[in-house]
């Protein structure tokens, strides 16, 4: 049985002053997916996202959310069913973190006790202890903390859908990396349908269940990260992926686990974690000038061997 898509765009276009920003796109996103829209600046990513929550309207075509055509839905009510997190967070500067996160629940008419409990839960989910952060103001937060609050606010009304427009774009690489990991962890717990926009292909490859590549308002390819790397449909997608880096990006999608061999003989001197990627294993081999690693689990027990040769084998699972 094919699942009913949570989000379905059918021949959607949007013009601005006769210029086409989004050009006849059709797309289905299933419930629980983390769909990443990637492409160069000006290709229509943000416009696509804004069409979904009716911040702007379609010039033609239609959009269904959970089976319902949004043309007939009230924009404000629709927006309360979808979280929206953007690059510069859009937090109200004179409101505390708690009040900022409570915006949508307040609009939804929740009781003060229920709102407080929800804020508490979300701050903990985003690794911001309530006692420390609830009463701070946005100016008292670091960039990464403010972005976490922005994500908490987007999740506050418990929407089925979360729209994220370059939410980590302004952060330094280390903070960005940790927020990406947080998002993956949170998604494994809450299982929303997420549409995430970025111009960073590495961010897309790391986060996405499926990636939508856009160019000049059109969808060029819609595929899993692995398929995109294995079978880019044209030169544009190839160049976006970076010709010389393709092998390493592909190796980052492959876990050590599916390539390791059974233990035998002496344990190699250097180790890799079973949940690391082949890219990390290759880096360790190069660094230690060795062609074999011991694979260890989270408790540091040896669970297998990874000879360099095994990197070239097809995955075993
Ligand atoms: N409100 C607007 N008015 C006029 N043109 C716009 C508006 N929003 C976007 N555009 C144009 O539409 C195109 C796509 O923009 P956008 O969706 O913001 O791109 P991206 O998010 O991929 O960088 C660009 O050429 C942009 O200038
Ligand atoms: Mg944009």
């Amino acid at each position: 049985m094919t699942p009913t898509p949570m989000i379905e765009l059918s021949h959607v276009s949007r013009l601005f002053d006769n210029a086409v920003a989004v050009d006849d796109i059709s797309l289905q996103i299933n419930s629980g997916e983390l769909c990443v829209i990637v492409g160069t600046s000006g290709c229509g990513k943000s416009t696509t996202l804004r069409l979904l929550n009716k911040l702007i309207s379609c010039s033609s075509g239609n959009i269904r959310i959970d089976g319902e055509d949004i043309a007939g839905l009230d924009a404000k009510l629709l927006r309360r069913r979808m979280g929206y997190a953007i690059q510069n967070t859009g937090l109200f500067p004179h409101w505390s973190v708690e009040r900022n996160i409570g915006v949508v629940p307040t609009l939804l008419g929740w009781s003060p006790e229920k709102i407080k409990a929800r804020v508490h839960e979300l701050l903990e989910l985003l690794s911001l202890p309530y006692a420390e952060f609830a009463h701070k103001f946005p100016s008292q937060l670091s960039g990464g903390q403010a972005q976490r609050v922005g994500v908490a606010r987007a999740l506050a009304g418990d929407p089925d859908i979360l729209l994220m427009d370059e939410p980590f774009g302004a952060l330094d690489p280390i903070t960005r990396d940790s927020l990406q990991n947080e998002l993956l962890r949170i998604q494994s717990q809450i299982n929303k349908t997420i549409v995430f926009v970025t111009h960073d292909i590495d961010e897309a490859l790391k986060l996405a269940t499926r990636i939508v590549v856009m160019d000049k308002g059109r969808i060029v390819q819609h595929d899993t990260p692995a398929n995109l790397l294995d079978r880019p449909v044209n030169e544009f997608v190839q160049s976006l992926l970076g010709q010389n880096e393709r092998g390493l990006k592909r190796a980052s999608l492959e876990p050590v686990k599916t390539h390791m061999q059974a233990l035998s003989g002496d344990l190699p001197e250097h180790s890799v974690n079973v949940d690391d990627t082949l890219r990390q294993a290759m880096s360790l081999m190069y660094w230690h000038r060795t062609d074999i690693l011991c694979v260890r689990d989270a408790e540091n027990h040896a669970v297998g061997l990874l000879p360099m040769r095994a990197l070239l084998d097809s995955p075993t699972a």
Side-chain angles (χ1 to χ4, degrees):
M1 202 179 80
T2 46
T4 320
M6 178 60 97
I7 300 173
E8 187 170 19
L9 291 84
S10 175
H11 298 288
V12 170
S13 296
R14 170 67 205 205
L15 309 175
F16 289 112
D17 309 321
N18 295 324
V20 188
V22 167
D23 189 2
D24 191 28
I25 66 175
S26 295
L27 173 66
Q28 298 191 344
I29 302 169
N30 294 327
S31 181
E33 266 197 82
L34 202 170
C35 170
V36 179
I37 303 179
V38 68
T40 48
S41 178
C43 71
K45 305 181 295 293
S46 297
T47 303
T48 303
L49 217 57
R50 290 189 198 117
L51 288 167
L52 295 178
N53 64 3
K54 282 184 89 167
L55 281 172
I56 52 176
S57 58
C58 304
S59 302
S60 60
N62 63 66
I63 299 177
R64 291 180 175 276
I65 302 285
D66 207 8
E68 262 184 304
D69 190 332
I70 64 168
L73 298 179
D74 179 81
K76 280 208 186 93
L77 294 179
L78 178 70
R79 249 168 263 149
R80 282 176 208 163
R81 288 167 48 195
M82 295 188 194
Y84 186 46
I86 54 175
Q87 186 172 119
N88 292 312
T89 73
L91 296 176
F92 299 115
H94 303 299
W95 286 11
S96 68
V97 163
E98 176 152 33
R99 197 166 163 206
N100 266 290
I101 297 176
V103 170
V104 169
T106 304
L107 290 170
L108 291 171
W110 293 13
S111 70
E113 299 74 43
K114 188 173 169 192
I115 296 175
K116 185 165 179 173
R118 181 68 178 154
V119 171
H120 200 285
E121 176 188 31
L122 284 166
L123 283 175
E124 301 294 326
L125 182 69
L126 284 140
S127 315
L128 299 169
Y130 180 90
E132 196 181 333
F133 288 96
H135 307 294
K136 287 200 165 156
F137 289 90
S139 63
Q140 298 171 300
L141 303 173
S142 71
Q145 289 162 352
Q147 212 61 54
R148 282 165 203 258
V149 174
V151 173
R153 186 179 57 170
L155 289 169
D158 203 17
D160 293 330
I161 295 173
L162 187 57
L163 308 177
M164 308 182 84
D165 195 346
E166 312 227 17
F168 311 144
L171 303 174
D172 64 85
I174 293 171
T175 309
R176 188 186 316 146
D177 191 61
S178 84
L179 264 90
Q180 289 166 350
N181 295 337
E182 292 273 299
L183 181 66
L184 288 172
R185 178 184 59 79
I186 291 168
Q187 172 64 350
S188 72
Q189 291 174 20
I190 60 176
N191 204 33
K192 304 282 180 194
T193 307
I194 302 180
V195 189
F196 186 107
V197 160
T198 180
H199 63 266
D200 178 351
I201 186 70
D202 290 309
E203 186 165 66
L205 291 168
K206 176 170 173 181
L207 296 178
T209 26
R210 285 195 296 165
I211 296 177
V212 174
V213 180
M214 287 186 72
D215 184 30
K216 301 189 193 82
R218 293 182 153 262
I219 294 177
V220 187
Q221 189 164 2
H222 182 199
D223 227 326
T224 61
N227 283 342
L228 206 69
L229 285 160
D230 292 346
R231 289 179 286 280
V233 294
N234 63 18
E235 278 181 21
F236 175 77
V237 181
Q238 271 175 25
S239 69
L240 192 71
L241 293 167
Q243 282 289 42
N244 298 332
E245 297 285 318
R246 244 170 92 181
L248 291 175
K249 290 191 202 309
R250 188 66 179 83
S252 330
L253 299 177
E254 210 83 63
V256 160
K257 205 187 284 132
T258 60
H259 287 257
M260 69 182 184
Q261 300 177 351
L263 286 171
S264 69
D266 295 338
L267 291 184
E269 186 184 356
H270 300 289
S271 299
V272 65
N273 191 284
V274 70
D275 292 316
D276 283 349
T277 67
L278 289 192
R279 181 184 182 134
Q280 287 164 306
M282 284 154 76
S283 174
L284 286 167
M285 285 180 188
Y286 180 77
W287 187 255
H288 295 300
R289 299 296 192 274
T290 180
D291 61 4
I292 186 160
L293 295 170
C294 177
V295 182
R296 291 181 183 275
D297 65 13
E299 281 82 48
N300 211 31
H301 298 131
V303 290
L305 297 175
L306 189 72
M308 191 178 267
R309 178 77 222 162
L311 299 177
L312 309 180
D313 296 340
S314 302
T316 53

